[in-house]
């Protein structure tokens, strides 16, 4: 491992940089609109979202499909158009960067996508996939390959995995490869878009533990997008709940997933089934009670 | 003129597959006898045309009316044509004209179509709009008409005609490339490359060209063939370069002598037919070699992965069946499902035994590839045709079903007494039919209801499954309703003929968690109300805990543990079950907030 | 749906306009040669110039085209430079011939390709092989070669059907039918091959889809499954191919008419192009492109009717 050049293994440890004083990332009043087809009104995926992520922190972003959680991640990555609002990374606005500056940001902000089957180019070997982000920066092929060996070791894949193609790996292994790719340039923030929801239960836990371990070692921050409250509780320092393009609740993992305040979060929590028959029966009863209360108050409201 | 469907696309949607490596490709191509023969024919035609002066001493244009229509043999191995020209010489030299002409057309089409398609597909915007519109315009003009116009204005010149023809073929290449690029640029790996800081040029070179090249090669091979056809057509009309030997001109001459010497049709006809057929077949073989044929075209992943087992691991029997009490709705014993493969077979379900009683919900739990869905489909008789199913017993309500999917007994039970709720709500409704007609069709068939009775019952069902506006949904198409609603419709359809057994394959996996809870409530209440037996396939122990009375845990095609739900959760006995239950995150400690960063700012919203 | 059709119709009109303009420009490049040809080989330079003025060839191309377009919109397509006949009259004289064989070929393709394609997808085996073989033959044998072979054997050798000539429908429906069978078949073979293969693979794809399995789970008859559900969903892609094939069919008619000695639009096009007869060629091009536009529009309507996402948008 000593062969790896120092500039490839940055650690964002205690050595303070002036840009590190504020939060690592802050999003303020973010609005994302997608133009409607044929003079229809544009679709507003995010309606003024604000949040912050500190260095080395995991912010869990929970919501159901269509809530805008994935769009938020993509906006931070520069893959979705920002209509209003700002995204600030280490004190610098990044919501309207030029192409060249955006590319340079690849050093600091990376991504792990949900689907491990389509996020790796099936025609490239693992070596090609993992060296890609390194070669962009002008690192020599030899250094890049040394770095790849180290990355494979970090995500617990055999060292000879590099010569193989993605289709030779299982879903969990592919997701490790995607994580290794995200790590290759030692970023400060990784946007994880449902990285474990396509995985089997046993792989899911292992990948989450790997992410936590990497974070403890490298102080990378995660924006962890998921629909699963139990996953988010396991990995997040703080949790934000999205609903219809807005954040309805933020707080620590324990408070949001333990004593949710917003009715939507309460509903979400009670809807998630517990793998325990007796406790699930209780949760079901509580959910029905909540639903009954809701419809009663709606009736009262309309009466 | 014939246009094959664009290679690499099916039903308009571009198919993206991993192209095999190059050496392997050539080897695979040569192994395919059709491809080998096609290549040989094309090679032969090229060689013969190139070596024309060596193969014949005759001048292809040298006419000698005295020797017109001479029979084959002697100085003229294939005889002479209507004005005494040597047929063999014209055939060989004609090959040159045909091949050069069509190569020119193909080059123009590819050189124009590929870059334009790349730019339009990748950068989109106004250029895409203009280019696509023009391409559609050009594609809707009969090529030969435009060629007539062009030849009418520039005079008779085969190569000009073929260059223009290449221009007319370019939109096909353009559309192919654009479609492929459009699809790839939506792939997550392109997004990842973008996030990694790759420039557009690099992304196109590394990720996009790879996907584009194979289909373009295939289409180019086919344009080669089409070019020969069009060119011969023009020459047949007498519009080719005069004085140049060509296959089309030979046909024209043969046409003139069709009453006296019809055999003149044979040689140019054969040359055209063989060359074009070879290029078409080569294109097909290339498609197969590059995309693995029809099977490889489907992007769907096989849900069951092959089970590799060493001999020692083989245990003699499956778990003992719970004692039969006599009121079992379904008894399955020693069920085995295999798929044939090149060397032997893949076992996906192995010695599975299970029972379901009336009013009981059996959960079938396992990870992907455990064979749980295959087991459910085997019970339904809905496995793909290539699957082989055997079972010692497969008894439904006292009747042995047998394992033939198309058996009469099975056909009679399906839909009528055994209902099926699928996983993915949107892909399980026929997009071309209204919800109402899809609901009514089985009821009219099985229950003999009239049109209006079926409608009345369907509306009642829609209301029963919790759809607020049944009349609207009844007349809607699947694309007009939400996923949660679609799943309710599918449940309504599954119970429409009052089945005794419901088989649900991951019925809530595709749904949001709040919708999942409602759908589970619905399934439970329907099941209890009608005292149905139910097999619920799932990977989610939360769902099992919610609804199942008994659970069978599957691993690698086998049931490793089966127990009443309460017992299984309280005291799992098999290590695999324990491992799975340990993997659930429900009881894990919430992570503590990061103390040092001071970003605890409360609610931002 | 209405706006969809309006758009298609508009682009059809644009297509006719663009192609006619293009043709005009191309033809105008040969202005002098044409005038020389028409004036005769022995004509003096002055006579040629006079002919040019007479035909209006000395004026700017744009002005010439505007004139043509103006009269064309009023229904006057001008007179042939070669014979002096009214272009509109020649066209309406020859159109029935071409329409008969082209529409015949289209119907033949549609019917046979559905039968063969569905059969091959469902039955597999020998029929499937046959369709595959037909696909190769249909691709490799140009329609005029097919026409030559059919004319030679069916027409000349076996004398089963007339090898040349056309009988108008009004004269004798049965003779009309006999006279268009061979040309229509020659045109259709390629289209049948391509479309049948498309239907076969589209059917095979649809039969693999989830909802087909779900429909099977409801115990529907295999007839309803195949003909009501699967074919319905396979039809759009088949129609797309048929649309492309029809364009090929119209082009193929030009050559096939020559083989069967049919005096249709195709042979008119051929003559006009070799004589540099601009008014006649313009008429031919406009009629042919309009034919494609109309048939495509009909196929679009069918497409929209089949696809609820277009219909109920």
């Amino acid at each position: 491992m000593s062969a790896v050049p120092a500039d490839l293994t940055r650690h964002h440890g205690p050595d303070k940089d002036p840009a590190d004083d504020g939060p690592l990332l802050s999003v303020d009043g973010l609005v994302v609109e997608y133009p409607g087809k044929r003079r229809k009104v544009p679709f507003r995926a995010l309606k003024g979202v604000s949040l912050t992520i500190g260095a080395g922190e995991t912010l869990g972003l929970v919501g159901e499909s269509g809530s805008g959680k994935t769009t938020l991640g993509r906006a931070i990555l520069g893959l979705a158009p920002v209509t209003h609002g700002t995204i600030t990374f280490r004190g610098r606005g990044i919501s309207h960067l030029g192409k060249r500056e955006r590319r340079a940001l690849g050093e600091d902000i990376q991504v792990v996508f949900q689907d491990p089957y389509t996020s790796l180019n099936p025609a490239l070997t693992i070596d090609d996939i993992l060296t890609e982000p390194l070669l962009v920066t002008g690192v020599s092929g030899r250094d890049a390959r040394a770095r790849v060996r180290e990355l494979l070791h970090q995500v617990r894949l055999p060292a000879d995995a590099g010569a193989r193609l993605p289709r030779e790996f299982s879903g969990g292994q592919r997701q490790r490869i995607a994580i290794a790719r995200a790590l290759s340039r030692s970023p400060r923030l990784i946007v994880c878009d449902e990285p474990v929801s396509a995985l089997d239960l046993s792989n899911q836990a292992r990948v989450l533990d790997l992410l936590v371990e990497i974070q403890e070692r490298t102080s990378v921050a995660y924006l962890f997008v998921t629909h699963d409250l139990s996953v988010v509780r396991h990995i997040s320092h703080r949790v934000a709940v999205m609903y219809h393009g807005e954040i309805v609740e933020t707080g620590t993992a324990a408070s949001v997933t333990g004593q949710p305040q917003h009715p939507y979060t309460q509903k979400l929590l009670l809807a998630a089934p517990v793998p325990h028959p007796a406790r699930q029966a209780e949760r079901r009863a509580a959910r029905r009670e909540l639903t009954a209360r809701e419809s009663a108050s709606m009736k009262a409201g309309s009466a | 003129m014939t246009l094959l469907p664009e290679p690499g696309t099916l039903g308009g949607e571009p198919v993206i597959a991993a192209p095999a490596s190059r050496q392997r490709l050539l080897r695979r191509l040569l192994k395919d006898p059709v491809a080998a023969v096609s290549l040989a024919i094309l090679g032969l035609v090229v060689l013969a045309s190139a070596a024309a002066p060596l193969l014949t001493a005759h001048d292809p244009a040298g006419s000698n009316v005295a020797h017109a229509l001479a029979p084959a043999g002697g100085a003229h191995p294939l005889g002479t044509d209507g004005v005494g020209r040597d047929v063999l010489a014209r055939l060989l030299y004609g090959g040159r004209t045909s091949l050069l002409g069509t190569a020119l057309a193909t080059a123009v089409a590819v050189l124009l179509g590929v870059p334009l398609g790349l730019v339009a597909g990748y950068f989109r915007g106004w250029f895409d709009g203009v280019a696509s519109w023009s391409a559609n315009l050009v594609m809707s003009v009969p090529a030969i008409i435009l060629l007539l116009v062009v030849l009418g204005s520039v005079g008779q010149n085969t190569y000009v005609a073929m260059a223009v023809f290449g221009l007319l073929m370019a939109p096909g290449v353009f559309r192919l490339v654009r479609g492929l690029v459009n699809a790839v640029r939506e792939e997550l790996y392109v997004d990842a490359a973008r996030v990694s800081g790759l420039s557009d040029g690099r992304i196109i070179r590394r990720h996009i060209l790879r996907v584009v090249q194979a289909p373009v090669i295939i289409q180019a091979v086919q344009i080669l063939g089409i070019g020969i056809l069009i060119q011969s057509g023009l020459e047949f009309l007498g519009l080719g370069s005069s004085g140049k030997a060509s296959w089309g001109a030979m046909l024209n001459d043969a046409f003139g002598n069709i009453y006296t010497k019809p055999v003149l049709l044979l040689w140019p006809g054969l040359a055209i037919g063989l060359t074009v057929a070879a290029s078409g077949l080569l294109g097909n073989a290339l498609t197969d070699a590059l995309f693995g044929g029809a099977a490889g075209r489907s992007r769907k992943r096989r849900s069951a992965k092959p089970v590799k087992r060493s001999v020692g691991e083989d245990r003699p029997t499956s778990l003992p069946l719970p004692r039969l009490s006599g009121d079992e709705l379904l008894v399955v014993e020693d069920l085995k499902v295999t798929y044939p493969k090149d060397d032997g077979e893949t076992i996906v379900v192995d010695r599975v035994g299970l029972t379901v009683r009336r009013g009981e919900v059996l959960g079938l739990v396992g990870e992907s590839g455990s064979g749980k869905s295959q087991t459910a489909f085997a019970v339904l008789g809905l496995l793909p045709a290539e699957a082989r199913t055997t079972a010692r017993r497969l008894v439904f309500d006292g009747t042995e079903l047998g394992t033939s999917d198309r058996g009469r007994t099975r056909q009679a039970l399906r839909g009528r007494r055994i209902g099926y709720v699928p996983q993915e709500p949107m892909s399980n409704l026929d997009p071309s039919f209204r919800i109402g007609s899809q609901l009514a069709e089985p009821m009219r068939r099985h229950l003999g209801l009239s049109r209006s009775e079926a409608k009345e019952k369907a509306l009642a069902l829609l209301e029963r499954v919790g759809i607020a506006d049944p009349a609207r949904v009844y007349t809607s198409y699947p694309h007009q309703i939400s996923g949660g609603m679609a799943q309710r419709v599918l449940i309504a359809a599954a119970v429409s003929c009052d089945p005794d057994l419901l088989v649900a394959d991951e019925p809530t996996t595709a749904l949001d968690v709040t919708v999942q809870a409602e759908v589970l409530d619905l399934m439970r209440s329907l099941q209890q109300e009608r005292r149905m037996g139910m097999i619920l396939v799932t990977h989610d122990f939360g769902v099992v805990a919610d609804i199942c009375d008994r659970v069978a845990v599957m691993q690698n095609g086998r049931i490793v543990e089966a127990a009443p739900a309460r017992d299984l959760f309280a005291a799992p006995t098999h290590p695999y079950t324990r491992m799975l239950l340990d993997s659930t995150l429900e009881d894990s400690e919430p992570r503590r907030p990061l103390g040092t960063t001071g970003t605890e700012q409360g609610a931002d919203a | 749906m209405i706006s969809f059709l309006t758009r298609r119709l508009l682009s059809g009109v644009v297509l006719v306009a663009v192609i006619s303009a293009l043709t005009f420009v191309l033809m105008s490049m040969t202005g002098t040669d044409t005038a020389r040809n028409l004036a005769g080989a022995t004509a003096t330079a002055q006579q040629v110039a006079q002919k040019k003025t007479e035909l209006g060839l000395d004026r700017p191309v744009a002005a010439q085209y505007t004139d043509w377009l103006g009269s064309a919109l009023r229904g006057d397509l001008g007179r042939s430079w070669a014979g002096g006949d009214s272009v509109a009259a020649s066209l309406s004289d020859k159109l029935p011939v071409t329409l008969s064989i082209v529409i015949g070929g289209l119907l033949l393709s549609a019917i046979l390709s559905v039968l063969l394609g569905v059969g091959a997808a469902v039955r597999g085996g020998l029929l499937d092989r046959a369709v595959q073989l037909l696909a190769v033959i249909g691709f490799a044998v140009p329609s005029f070669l097919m026409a030559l072979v059919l004319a030679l054997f069916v027409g000349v050798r076996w004398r089963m059907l007339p090898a040349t000539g056309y009988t108008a429908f009004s004269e004798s429906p049965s003779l009309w039918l006999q006279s268009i069978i061979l040309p229509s078949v020659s045109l259709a073979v390629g289209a049948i091959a391509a479309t049948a293969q498309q239907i076969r693979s589209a059917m095979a794809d649809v039969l693999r889809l989830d909802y087909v399995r779900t429909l099977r789970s409801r115990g529907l008859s295999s007839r309803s499954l195949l003909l009501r559900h699967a074919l319905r969903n396979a039809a759009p892609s088949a129609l797309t191919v048929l649309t492309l094939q029809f364009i090929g069919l119209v082009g193929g008619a030009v050559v096939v008419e020559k083989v069967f000695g049919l005096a249709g639009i195709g042979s008119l096009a051929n003559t006009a192009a070799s004589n540099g007869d601009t008014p006649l060629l313009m008429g031919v091009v406009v009629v042919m492109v309009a034919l494609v536009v109309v048939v495509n529009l009909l196929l679009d309507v069918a497409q929209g009717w089949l696809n609820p996402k277009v219909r109920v948008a």
Side-chain angles (χ1 to χ4, degrees), chain B residues 459-487:
Chain B
L459 286 171
L461 271 169
L462 287 174
E463 190 168 2
R464 172 64 190 85
V465 296
I467 283 171
D469 188 354
R472 189 184 64 80
V473 170
Y474 187 88
T475 55
S476 297
Y477 283 98
H479 74 272
Q480 296 172 305
I481 63 174
S482 72
M485 227 187 261
Q487 193 60 308

Side-chain angles (χ1 to χ4, degrees), chain A residues 64 99 132 233 280 284, chain B residues 200 206 514 524 546 586:
Chain A
E64 301 198 312
K99 276 191 170 178
E132 180 170 90
R233 176 178 52 211
Q280 171 55 18
R284 193 164 62 220
Chain B
D200 290 329
R206 264 182 84 86
T514 47
R524 180 186 304 100
D546 188 64
E586 188 57 35

Side-chain angles (χ1 to χ4, degrees), chain B residues 229-245:
Chain B
L229 295 179
I230 276 284
Q231 187 182 331
S232 60
L234 288 173
E235 289 157 349
F236 177 73
L237 287 175
L239 293 169
S241 303
S242 52
K244 232 187 196 114

Side-chain angles (χ1 to χ4, degrees), chain A residues 50-52 54-58 64-65 74 77 79 99 103 106 109-111 113 115 117-124 128 132-133 135-136 167 181 185 200-202 204-205 208 212 215 230-231 233-238 247 250 252-254 268 271-277 279-280 283-284 287-288, chain B residues 17-20 24 123 187-189 191-200 202 206-207 210 299 301 366-368 512-518 520-521 524 539-543 545-547 565-566 569 579-581 583-594 597 599-605:
Chain A
S50 304
L51 55 81
T52 62
E57 185 184 38
T58 302
E64 301 198 312
S65 54
R74 291 180 69 84
L77 292 164
L79 297 173
K99 276 191 170 178
R103 288 209 294 273
I109 304 181
Q110 275 301 327
V111 67
F113 287 113
D115 188 344
Y117 290 87
T118 59
S119 68
L120 306 177
N121 188 337
L124 297 182
D128 285 339
E132 180 170 90
L135 296 176
V136 171
R167 63 162 170 266
R181 172 175 58 192
R185 284 165 74 187
D200 274 331
L201 206 52
S202 48
Q204 187 172 327
L208 287 176
V212 169
Q215 183 171 52
S230 63
V231 167
R233 176 178 52 211
H234 185 74
I235 192 154
S236 311
H237 298 107
R238 284 189 307 129
I247 289 183
T250 338
T252 62
L268 205 58
V274 205
H276 192 284
R279 275 163 56 202
Q280 171 55 18
R283 187 173 276 194
R284 193 164 62 220
R287 173 169 54 87
R288 286 189 177 151
Chain B
R24 278 218 312 239
F123 296 103
E187 292 283 334
L188 288 176
Y189 63 78
D191 277 344
R194 229 170 255 154
V195 171
S196 290
L198 266 70
S199 61
D200 290 329
R202 218 172 163 125
R206 264 182 84 86
H207 295 285
R210 249 169 234 269
R299 286 179 68 184
R301 283 173 247 125
E367 298 193 297
S368 56
D512 274 327
V513 61
T514 47
V515 182
Q516 161 173 294
E518 291 163 15
L520 285 175
D521 279 354
R524 180 186 304 100
H539 67 281
D540 186 336
F541 278 101
V543 171
D546 188 64
I547 196 169
R566 211 158 310 163
F569 282 101
M579 188 277 287
L580 284 181
L581 283 172
S583 302
T584 62
L585 298 167
E586 188 57 35
D587 294 319
S588 68
E589 273 296 300
R591 211 168 164 194
R592 286 178 195 290
L594 208 58
T597 50
T599 45
E600 198 56 45
Q601 298 169 347
D604 293 297

Side-chain angles (χ1 to χ4, degrees), chain B residues 446-531:
Chain B
H446 294 305
L447 309 180
L449 301 184
S450 71
R451 196 174 285 268
S452 60
E453 285 167 340
K455 177 171 182 179
E456 197 180 320
K457 185 151 187 225
L459 286 171
L461 271 169
L462 287 174
E463 190 168 2
R464 172 64 190 85
V465 296
I467 283 171
D469 188 354
R472 189 184 64 80
V473 170
Y474 187 88
T475 55
S476 297
Y477 283 98
H479 74 272
Q480 296 172 305
I481 63 174
S482 72
M485 227 187 261
Q487 193 60 308
R488 288 171 195 273
V489 168
L490 285 165
I491 291 172
V495 300
S496 64
C497 298
D498 300 310
D500 302 287
L501 176 69
L502 206 57
V503 179
D505 179 25
E506 304 257 14
T508 58
T509 306
L511 304 176
D512 274 327
V513 61
T514 47
V515 182
Q516 161 173 294
E518 291 163 15
V519 167
L520 285 175
D521 279 354
L522 169 66
M523 291 185 68
R524 180 186 304 100
S525 73
L526 282 171
Q527 180 260 332
Q528 287 170 351
E529 171 185 301
R530 298 164 183 232
R531 271 201 88 233

